[in-house]
Amino acid sequence: MCGIVGYCGPRRVVPVVLEGLRRLEYRGYDSAGIVYLEDGKLIKHRSEGKLSNLEAIIDSALIAPSHIGLGHTRWATHGAPTTENAHPHSDCTGDLVVIHNGIIENYHSLREELKAKGHKFSSETDTEVLAHLIEEYLTDDLVSAVKEAVSRVEGSYAIGVLWAGMPDTIIAVRNQSPLVLGVSKDQGTFLASDIPALLPYTNEVVFLDDMELAILKADSYEVYSLFGTLVEKEIQIINWNAGMAEKAGFKHFMLKEIFEQPQAITNTVSGRINPESGLVELPEVNLDSEEIDNIDRIFLVACGTSWHAALVAKYWIEKYAGIPVEVDIASEFRYRHLIINDRVLTISISQSGETADTLAGIRLAKKLGSKIITICNVVGSTMTREADGTVYTHAGPEIGVASTKAFISQLAALFLFTLFLSQKKGTLSLEKSREMGKALIDIAGVIERELPRIQEEIKELIDNFYDCRDFLFVGRGLSFPIALEGALKLKEISYIHAEGYASGELKHGPIALIDKEMPILALVPQDDVYQKSLSNVEEIKARQGRLILIGTEGDSHLQRLTDDVIFLPKVPDDMNPILYTIPAQLLAYEIASRRGCDVDQPRNLAKSVTVE
Ligand code: AGP
């Protein structure tokens, strides 16, 4: 999704905006641009491709004595990723510019209306319509003109506006696409799509809500509802530092974040299990025993990797809390005929807290009477502000587009939530619950210890597999969602076609795919469905399938079936989804890296999908 940066303050604006755009590169983009005000004129530079192309054409601007400007990285929705379509976009005079993240759904009719009034367009984008629409309403009051213009717009938008007629002011408006202000006493005022762009300068942030307009000046900011009232906003302190959003010597953010997973688990669990009583304490969930007893059903709603976390949680919640769980892909959930009432609890799972489909899903469920909880990694993100309760994952900023530590932290948080529910319902003895809580705490240490060895073994193993065209991942029970996750990791960063399947489903079709070429990675921990999983692997072997097995150390059966085995320590069954994800992530990473893929910013992908 697009990256937005704005600044007004004592610093030179061009270096600040460029640094902010660099920190938003992980959001995915295909062109970039910057604009700043100098001697009463708006100076605009744009380029297609990576930020380095933009930097190559603006070296002189780095020392421009300008202190107010905007920057943008565009993820193309309307119009090819060309320089002409890159933001910022101008009105007819060139004295007003707009940057935008989102989709203006009625842009075509607005464009025709404006062309009929004489406006000339120079791009194929929906965003340029905004610049001309503001121009149409502009007299001497930019705020009113922006309000008038956005009142005509249908769709999602986060925008920044700069006008030569108000040289000390940036206007920002948010509706369904994230926008956050960075505020400080002496560094100036910042605007960004996401927190990492702000961290080098301030950790004091103000999240804009939908239909809010902000007026930014070098030493002040004001937030209004689009209906005119001044809004008092809380300043949130972000406990991330700029270094956490850097590579720290790793080749890619993704590898760094894979190795941060033990700490992410520890940070997510710490302070949430009472060491004496063993009770799980989640005060921010806002669910008391009576409300929990009234829950007939739970919906888990998410997208992508977060949906895989939901699939794992279904097993845990139904097994220990005894509550029926439905898991839905958010883009399906929001359009099906939902049978929801106030005895249904809906839980969204989202790293970013901004995924459009998931957000729409919880808004719909809330409207139907459901209580909403969100499992989320970003403090103050939209989902956390709209849910009734939140369980934050404390994974720290996840920059790699492929989710790793956020996924593992989601599993940790969902396991904690399962224990919390079970304790409140009395479906789990305190002794068993304490034992399970300890298993969750201990798994961080197991991963910490095993990660380097697993990485080395995977590096050797991929020599025979990195140039394959297709991959199949299979797993049963708690391993089935991890098979799906392994397939998603591989396909999204290496561009190899990969599918995840329930092992028991092989004979219902996929077994026809088996040949001597396609690797089949099977997750075969010695758990409660081990014998069944082993039978499935034998079926593959009997048809000369190319097996990669991940199983429990000491399991001699596996070595008989293939040379390509990764052994993992025996841990409690419930911890296998967390542990077995590690080799799957590393397999995807090492193959993609060997293939020279853009591991942190895979083609066509965005870190947070804030449009439908
Ligand atoms: C995971 O590797 C992908 N980047 C993607 O599937 C992601 O999990 C999905 O877009 C959901 O994002 P969220 O967790 O921020 O809602």
Side-chain angles (χ1 to χ4, degrees):
M1 295 299 99
C2 306
I4 283 178
V5 177
Y7 175 69
C8 42
R11 292 171 171 265
R12 289 186 190 284
V13 65
V14 174
V16 170
V17 168
L18 281 177
E19 179 59 27
L21 292 179
R22 270 188 220 104
R23 291 171 181 277
L24 296 180
E25 283 193 283
Y26 67 89
R27 295 170 62 84
Y29 69 101
D30 36 47
S31 62
I34 188 168
V35 64
Y36 55 90
L37 197 64
E38 190 177 9
D39 299 334
K41 279 282 172 217
L42 287 175
I43 314 293
K44 193 165 78 170
H45 299 285
R46 300 178 295 170
S47 72
E48 55 193 76
K50 292 299 183 190
L51 210 45
S52 50
N53 298 344
L54 179 67
E55 289 167 327
I57 62 172
I58 62 166
D59 54 346
S60 58
L62 283 171
I63 53 169
S66 171
H67 300 277
I68 185 167
L70 299 168
H72 187 267
T73 46
R74 176 176 181 250
W75 188 74
T77 54
H78 295 72
T82 61
T83 302
E84 295 70 31
N85 288 332
H87 302 200
H89 285 289
S90 305
D91 68 345
C92 299
T93 69
D95 290 337
L96 181 134
V97 289
V98 173
I99 57 175
H100 164 234
N101 179 16
I103 291 181
I104 298 176
E105 295 178 353
N106 61 332
Y107 88 99
H108 188 70
S109 58
L110 290 171
R111 184 185 174 105
E112 291 310 305
E113 176 192 324
L114 289 161
K115 281 168 75 173
K117 290 178 176 174
H119 290 266
K120 299 283 181 268
F121 286 83
S122 60
S123 80
E124 307 160 280
T125 67
D126 56 339
T127 303
E128 190 185 356
V129 166
L130 264 180
H132 292 281
L133 202 53
I134 296 170
E135 177 190 10
E136 188 58 28
Y137 292 113
L138 186 59
T139 51
D140 57 359
D141 178 352
L142 179 62
V143 173
S144 302
V146 171
K147 283 182 182 175
E148 290 263 10
V150 297
S151 71
R152 302 284 312 280
V153 167
E154 293 159 22
S156 61
Y157 47 85
I159 64 172
V161 184
L162 190 53
W163 176 39
M166 272 179 87
D168 61 347
T169 304
I170 291 173
I171 304 292
V173 184
R174 182 224 147 117
N175 181 36
Q176 296 180 36
S177 290
L179 263 186
V180 56
L181 307 184
V183 297
S184 77
K185 295 172 188 51
D186 54 7
Q187 294 291 324
T189 310
F190 302 79
L191 174 69
S193 310
D194 201 357
I195 294 165
L198 307 173
L199 292 176
Y201 312 101
T202 180
N203 65 346
E204 297 182 42
V205 303
V206 170
F207 289 91
L208 294 187
D209 285 304
D210 284 351
M211 308 309 277
E212 286 186 344
L213 178 145
I215 301 172
L216 288 73
K217 294 181 183 299
D219 55 3
S220 69
Y221 67 94
E222 290 177 323
V223 178
Y224 293 85
S225 84
L226 280 179
F227 312 107
T229 49
L230 185 65
V231 179
E232 280 307 310
K233 301 291 285 185
E234 180 195 353
I235 294 178
Q236 310 236 13
I237 305 299
I238 300 298
N239 59 3
W240 298 346
N241 60 52
M244 291 165 80
E246 284 158 9
K247 288 183 194 168
F250 284 88
K251 186 179 174 189
H252 295 106
F253 279 110
M254 183 178 175
L255 188 59
K256 172 182 172 235
E257 288 153 8
I258 287 172
F259 276 79
E260 285 178 333
Q261 293 183 123
Q263 194 57 55
I265 295 169
T266 303
N267 292 347
T268 298
V269 176
S270 71
R272 289 170 157 169
I273 300 179
N274 184 304
E276 280 75 48
S277 65
L279 284 173
V280 172
E281 292 158 358
L282 298 172
E284 68 277 24
V285 153
N286 292 329
L287 267 181
D288 60 31
S289 299
E290 187 187 345
E291 288 173 303
I292 290 171
D293 286 341
N294 285 337
I295 297 171
D296 289 345
R297 204 152 32 100
I298 292 176
F299 271 104
L300 300 179
V301 183
C303 299
T305 284
S306 301
W307 174 63
H308 299 151
L311 291 171
V312 174
K314 171 185 172 69
Y315 286 92
W316 287 333
I317 294 172
E318 289 183 337
K319 179 176 179 184
Y320 295 111
I323 302 173
V325 176
E326 288 193 49
V327 177
D328 266 77
I329 289 173
S331 53
E332 293 298 312
F333 177 82
R334 63 184 293 194
Y335 292 113
R336 74 184 180 86
H337 179 76
L338 291 169
I339 300 169
I340 283 185
N341 56 35
D342 59 0
R343 297 181 67 85
V344 167
L345 171 65
T346 302
I347 302 174
S348 73
I349 302 164
S350 177
Q351 187 286 130
S352 62
E354 302 295 350
T355 300
D357 285 320
T358 311
L359 195 51
I362 59 172
R363 286 171 173 165
L364 175 58
K366 192 167 200 168
K367 203 186 298 180
L368 294 171
S370 173
K371 183 145 189 163
I372 307 295
I373 285 173
T374 187
I375 312 284
C376 188
N377 194 45
V378 178
V379 170
S381 56
T382 304
M383 280 183 222
T384 65
R385 285 179 286 124
E386 298 196 7
D388 302 303
T390 297
V391 180
Y392 278 115
T393 52
H394 298 302
E398 185 176 71
I399 307 302
V401 165
S403 188
T404 50
K405 64 176 183 174
F407 174 65
I408 292 295
S409 304
Q410 287 168 351
L411 293 180
L414 285 160
F415 193 70
L416 279 174
F417 185 69
T418 301
L419 297 182
F420 170 78
L421 282 181
S422 310
Q423 288 170 358
K424 292 285 185 187
K425 285 178 65 72
T427 52
L428 196 61
S429 72
L430 205 43
E431 186 197 348
K432 174 69 177 166
S433 173
R434 196 181 277 122
E435 178 191 312
M436 291 164 67
K438 184 178 182 310
L440 181 59
I441 292 167
D442 291 349
I443 198 67
V446 172
I447 293 171
E448 180 97 49
R449 188 183 67 235
E450 299 293 330
L451 253 170
R453 172 194 54 96
I454 298 170
Q455 185 187 22
E456 285 315 308
E457 291 182 12
I458 290 282
K459 272 181 176 173
E460 285 167 33
L461 180 143
I462 64 163
D463 283 343
N464 305 322
F465 301 107
Y466 74 92
D467 54 357
C468 288
R469 275 174 31 84
D470 301 287
F471 249 89
L472 194 57
F473 290 72
V474 296
R476 188 186 278 264
L478 278 169
S479 296
F480 167 43
I482 308 310
L484 295 174
E485 174 59 11
L488 176 60
K489 286 280 113 19
L490 184 64
K491 76 180 87 170
E492 70 175 329
I493 65 172
S494 74
Y495 315 142
I496 293 173
H497 169 249
E499 279 187 80
Y501 249 94
S503 304
E505 271 294 284
L506 278 173
K507 52 191 165 306
H508 299 284
I511 205 164
L513 288 173
I514 295 176
D515 59 19
K516 292 187 172 58
E517 300 305 316
M518 178 183 68
I520 301 174
L521 186 146
L523 303 167
V524 203
Q526 285 180 330
D527 58 10
D528 57 345
V529 289
Y530 170 69
Q531 286 304 334
K532 301 292 180 191
S533 301
L534 202 53
S535 306
N536 297 139
V537 168
E538 298 280 2
E539 288 159 16
I540 298 167
K541 181 69 181 173
R543 292 161 178 82
Q544 289 79 49
R546 283 184 80 186
L547 277 169
I548 300 172
L549 299 179
I550 304 179
T552 307
E553 61 194 17
D555 184 348
S556 55
H557 290 296
L558 306 187
Q559 212 101 46
R560 177 175 49 80
L561 293 164
T562 176
D563 296 336
D564 295 309
V565 186
I566 302 284
F567 286 111
L568 301 177
K570 175 74 179 159
V571 295
D573 287 3
D574 290 318
M575 294 296 104
N576 281 332
I578 294 176
L579 180 59
Y580 280 63
T581 297
I582 305 303
Q585 293 169 338
L586 288 168
L587 180 82
Y589 173 78
E590 293 299 343
I591 287 179
S593 195
R594 178 78 66 88
R595 290 164 66 99
C597 296
D598 189 345
V599 171
D600 286 332
Q601 298 165 35
R603 67 187 181 203
N604 307 333
L605 290 183
K607 181 60 184 171
S608 174
V609 184
T610 56
V611 294
E612 269 206 67

